[in-house]
Amino acid sequence: MRKVHVIGIGAGDPDHLTVQAVRALNEVDVFFLIGKGEVKDDLAALRTQILATHVPTRNYRVVEARDPERDRGAGSGEGAGSAAYREAVVDWQDRRAEIYARMIDDELPDGACGAFLVWGDPALYDGTLRLLERIRATGTDFQVTSIPGISSVQALAAAHRLILNRIGRPVLITTGRRIAEGMPPDVDDVVVMLDGGTAFAELPDAAGLDIYWGAYLGTPDELLCSGPLLEVRDEIVTTRASARARKGWIMDTYLLRRNAEER
């Protein structure tokens, strides 16, 4: 029986790997990597560093494929749940599933162990587990194991020395598309991921909100900013744009929090 590990490798710091993740890395015969293009070569270098550090003696192979292009403009301005947006995501996932299936079929022999290394935690805004289950449902025979990792949410909280939840209150984790129309009325603390733009800068209810923002969390390029949203949002927008222009990409996360006076 073939095995496939889905291993969370953290938000950017090689030390984010758990002991369980290191143990799983050392069982792997074939690592499946999805390339993101030249602008993200430093991400590929981090994965290479992780393997060199934690799998120094095992004989393994690395099989890489290019990530299919996704129409990121689909449904723009129509809301997070628009049909055009959903169709674009489904199309991209279908093409990615085909690539995963081909890699497993062609490169993972019977009895061997393969692995996908995913940023953060496999259970939070990562579709690898979902795609592998789709492939298994078509009759491709392999076992799947999920190895948790430190997500950007945890890295953000640690960097700002935050406790995400307040006593007796929930925390919502959502996306930039979902937050664009404003804070949910019944939630005081919202963690925002996958904000391709700067949804926080245009919030209609910015008054009374604090923001805790971080980019490239856990890496030497880590950027942090916090304060009342109305006071620091322009600084974050400028910092974010400069960093993206310099590196060619950006991964950032932030917490929006109603301050105590507004509760």
Side-chain angles (χ1 to χ4, degrees):
M1 171 69 75
R2 295 179 293 181
K3 296 191 297 182
V4 175
H5 293 322
V6 181
I7 304 174
I9 59 174
D13 187 340
D15 288 342
H16 282 172
L17 267 74
T18 64
V19 173
Q20 183 186 17
V22 172
R23 187 179 298 116
L25 289 174
N26 282 275
E27 298 175 355
V28 175
D29 303 299
V30 184
F31 289 97
F32 301 114
L33 303 183
I34 303 299
K36 300 285 188 178
E38 293 182 1
V39 296
K40 295 190 179 180
D41 278 350
D42 41 359
L43 296 181
L46 178 58
R47 289 184 300 198
T48 300
Q49 178 187 353
I50 286 172
L51 294 182
T53 300
H54 295 293
V55 197
T57 60
R58 185 172 177 82
N59 185 24
Y60 59 81
R61 292 186 298 118
V62 175
V63 175
E64 185 166 357
R66 183 67 179 268
D67 200 20
E69 294 293 329
R70 174 180 160 190
D71 183 3
R72 296 189 177 275
S76 179
E78 300 179 20
S82 71
Y85 173 75
R86 291 196 303 271
E87 289 172 6
V89 171
V90 169
D91 173 70
W92 172 69
Q93 290 180 338
D94 287 344
R95 287 181 287 126
R96 212 181 208 204
E98 291 174 1
I99 293 171
Y100 285 14
R102 186 164 58 250
M103 294 168 78
I104 293 170
D105 283 341
D106 294 347
E107 304 290 347
L108 190 65
D110 188 45
C113 179
F116 290 87
L117 307 182
V118 304
W119 298 109
D121 184 276
L124 186 61
Y125 285 109
D126 182 86
T128 304
L129 289 171
R130 184 183 303 114
L131 295 185
L132 292 177
E133 290 305 321
R134 286 174 56 180
I135 296 168
R136 279 164 39 89
T138 66
T140 303
D141 194 19
F142 56 92
Q143 296 177 338
V144 176
T145 303
S146 178
I147 311 297
I150 294 175
S151 71
S152 62
V153 178
Q154 295 161 292
L156 177 76
H160 285 287
R161 300 177 302 281
L162 293 170
I163 298 173
L164 293 177
N165 66 292
R166 288 185 277 186
I167 297 174
R169 301 294 296 170
V171 176
L172 175 67
I173 301 176
T174 189
T175 66
R177 282 178 174 266
R178 292 284 183 183
I179 202 67
E181 297 178 359
M183 288 278 286
D186 57 344
V187 180
D188 292 334
D189 301 281
V190 177
V191 176
V192 182
M193 305 177 68
L194 304 179
D195 185 355
T198 51
F200 61 86
E202 305 295 334
L203 285 180
D205 51 354
L209 291 178
D210 295 327
I211 186 169
Y212 298 85
W213 175 83
Y216 312 116
L217 291 160
T219 76
D221 297 317
E222 181 176 274
L223 298 170
L224 300 173
C225 185
S226 64
L229 180 56
L230 288 177
E231 295 180 14
V232 301
R233 61 185 178 184
D234 291 342
E235 176 186 349
I236 295 174
V237 169
T238 300
T239 301
R240 189 182 190 278
S242 175
R244 186 168 192 168
R246 182 177 70 254
K247 292 179 68 66
W249 62 277
I250 192 164
M251 290 196 304
D252 59 339
T253 307
Y254 53 91
L255 169 71
L256 293 172
R257 166 164 285 174
R258 285 194 177 91
N259 61 47
E261 289 77 13
E262 296 294 322
R263 291 190 59 187

